[in-house]
Amino acid sequence: MGMGRGGERAALVRLLLGTMLCLPTVSSSKCSILRCNSEFLGATSGLQGAEESGQFCTALQTFAHCTRLTSRTCRGNLVYHSAVHGVEDLMSQHNCSRVGVGDTPRIPPTSQDSQNRSDPPGTCQFGGSQAHVPRLLHCSLFGDPHIRTFGDDLQTCSVRGAWPLIDNNYLFVQVTNVAVAEGSSATAPSQFTVIFKSFPGCAVEKVYQAQSDNLPAAFVDGSRTGGEGPGTSSLQVWERVRGQHVEILATYIGTTIVVRQVGRYLMFAVFMPEDIMNSFEERQGLQLCLRGCPADQRMDWVVPEPPRGQDGPAPGTFTQQTAGAKCKEKLAVEDLYFKSCLFDLLSTGDTNFTQAALYALEDARRLLVNKESVHVYEQFQRPTPANTAPPLLAPTLPLTHLFLICLCCCGYL
């Protein structure tokens, strides 16, 4: 009497895609994801109980290929990301091949010249035979916020709202920054959304979301693992300190993600092989971990003067000397982590930022293979045109869009 599980899911995704046609876009008008959605709806609207047939898979493959063709112009568009993850989930549920019109199989690379071969079946450890030792890269976001990019450039940013940190073939990470105080230019992370994209045989698609005062020990669907088949341990959430420290291990892509809460705000770190970091079709689009902050969002590294009253610094604020002494208690080396601590204490007066800088340093010291790259040293000066990236458009993240992403990625669609 009913449609059955497959028919219900197909009906739900059509409803979702139809809803997305009405949502406002958040990036360039050149993004053509709405055309992809319309073509998919047209191709499946006449199907009657044919979800298990090749027709539905063919429509999904065509739709997936269309989204890949629009990836360059749609990277900051939440409608695009909702569509991509929704169709990947349906392809996994209906055992559809990822190879469609104009597509080629995609496998985790172990070196620049190994993308034309696959690892042995059941192998969900990045690097396979260990013949190739990948170069491990690091990105972190903490404090006011400060970002350490994959290229070991540490910047202070005034980014407010939702910004993508990572967007490659296997992982999408977005941060939301809020003002530290009303009228202040200082911002800090209050939310992270992490999407692990499906990789057949090793991991199903999973979403992890952390917010201030809500650091869950599981993915949004309540599960702690995302491994598929025999490789159930290839994607796991580990709670290190309840409500304060969570790590996500994705062994199939050799990646570790650390999310912490310090005081009222969050911080993030990722350790990822260079091959995985480079696994995206176009070297365009906004990825803060890859390119750093847009030039018009970078803040001067000159340490700010503390607020002053009539007779000197305002009560409860730090001076250059007291802030330096406080940071020195936890950070012995005067590298950029120390400077970020000093910057945050003088600009906000919040001593929790001292601990955030220490944790950022400790994560790098604990997880980086090359210990010589733990500390970062630079000249503290305003960026010049020679070493800055062009300004890019920052998307925002309405709650309705985030809700749609969660619906797509958590098995409800």
Side-chain angles (χ1 to χ4, degrees):
M1 297 297 292
M3 290 186 295
R5 186 170 181 268
E8 290 174 356
R9 291 182 181 276
L12 284 172
V13 80
R14 292 186 192 118
L15 177 60
L16 171 66
L17 293 174
T19 303
M20 290 191 298
L21 289 172
C22 302
L23 291 175
T25 58
V26 291
S27 65
S28 169
S29 60
K30 294 181 180 179
C31 176
S32 56
I33 188 62
L34 298 185
R35 176 180 58 81
C36 298
N37 292 350
S38 298
E39 291 176 354
F40 175 71
L41 290 171
T44 57
S45 60
L47 294 179
Q48 297 291 335
E51 287 79 9
E52 305 303 327
S53 72
Q55 298 179 53
F56 191 65
C57 282
T58 299
L60 286 172
Q61 291 165 346
T62 302
F63 182 71
H65 180 60
C66 185
T67 61
R68 279 190 277 275
L69 292 178
T70 67
S71 62
R72 178 173 179 175
T73 55
C74 296
R75 285 194 177 276
N77 189 314
L78 268 297
V79 175
Y80 162 77
H81 287 289
S82 297
V84 168
H85 303 308
V87 74
E88 287 185 355
D89 184 52
L90 281 172
M91 290 178 76
S92 177
Q93 293 170 16
H94 294 278
N95 296 318
C96 299
S97 170
R98 263 56 178 180
V99 183
V101 180
D103 294 332
T104 56
R106 176 166 53 85
I107 63 172
T110 57
S111 67
Q112 292 298 323
D113 59 358
S114 66
Q115 298 190 33
N116 293 322
R117 68 169 180 84
S118 60
D119 291 327
T123 298
C124 291
Q125 297 290 326
F126 184 82
S129 65
Q130 301 297 320
H132 169 69
V133 179
R135 180 188 174 203
L136 198 64
L137 302 179
H138 170 44
C139 173
S140 61
L141 187 77
F142 61 97
D144 190 1
H146 311 284
I147 184 167
R148 175 174 176 169
T149 70
F150 284 129
D152 291 334
D153 183 22
L154 192 61
Q155 303 170 1
T156 297
C157 312
S158 60
V159 288
R160 184 178 300 191
W163 295 74
L165 289 170
I166 300 171
D167 186 5
N168 59 41
N169 291 342
Y170 307 100
L171 187 66
F172 176 79
V173 181
Q174 186 158 263
V175 61
T176 300
N177 297 306
V178 296
V180 172
E182 185 176 355
S184 172
S185 62
T187 61
S190 66
Q191 178 175 295
F192 288 103
T193 301
V194 183
I195 300 175
F196 291 90
K197 303 177 184 180
S198 172
F199 186 78
C202 290
V204 297
E205 187 172 273
K206 290 288 181 178
V207 176
Y208 180 82
Q209 185 181 47
Q211 296 176 313
S212 295
D213 299 322
N214 182 18
L215 195 64
F219 295 108
V220 294
D221 62 359
S223 65
R224 290 175 177 261
T225 64
E228 187 175 38
T232 55
S233 63
S234 60
L235 179 59
Q236 299 183 78
V237 178
W238 292 90
E239 185 176 55
R240 302 303 187 188
V241 180
R242 179 180 291 274
Q244 298 179 30
H245 180 188
V246 168
E247 295 187 8
I248 307 174
L249 308 181
T251 58
Y252 66 104
I253 53 174
T255 296
T256 299
I257 287 178
V258 181
V259 183
R260 297 177 183 263
Q261 172 150 347
V262 183
R264 294 179 296 164
Y265 304 107
L266 302 178
M267 56 182 296
F268 168 88
V270 61
F271 301 84
M272 174 182 294
E274 185 176 20
D275 294 338
I276 297 298
M277 185 272 290
N278 283 323
S279 65
F280 54 96
E281 288 77 12
E282 297 286 346
R283 291 186 174 275
Q284 300 293 328
L286 187 60
Q287 295 190 60
L288 297 188
C289 276
L290 182 66
R291 296 180 173 271
C293 307
D296 60 350
Q297 296 290 322
R298 298 187 196 181
M299 297 181 66
D300 197 332
W301 265 109
V302 174
V303 178
E305 289 292 330
R308 298 184 64 84
Q310 292 182 349
D311 301 319
T317 61
F318 287 90
T319 65
Q320 292 271 357
Q321 291 72 28
T322 58
K326 188 69 175 178
C327 292
K328 204 72 173 180
E329 291 176 6
K330 296 181 180 294
L331 300 156
V333 179
E334 294 192 15
D335 60 359
L336 288 193
Y337 292 107
F338 177 87
K339 295 293 186 181
S340 69
C341 170
L342 192 64
F343 184 98
D344 291 348
L345 281 185
L346 290 173
S347 61
T348 70
D350 188 344
T351 57
N352 286 305
F353 287 128
T354 303
Q355 192 66 33
L358 175 62
Y359 282 147
L361 175 61
E362 288 184 347
D363 287 335
R365 183 182 291 131
R366 178 171 57 96
L367 294 172
L368 275 177
V369 176
N370 181 10
K371 303 305 179 184
E372 294 181 357
S373 64
V374 168
H375 297 285
V376 183
Y377 301 90
E378 284 184 4
Q379 293 296 318
F380 296 92
Q381 59 185 5
R382 190 184 303 276
T384 62
N387 60 12
T388 58
L392 296 170
L393 178 65
T396 58
L397 184 60
L399 291 177
T400 54
H401 288 187
L402 182 57
F403 178 69
L404 290 175
I405 292 179
C406 293
L407 286 178
C408 289
C409 305
C410 300
Y412 295 108
L413 300 183

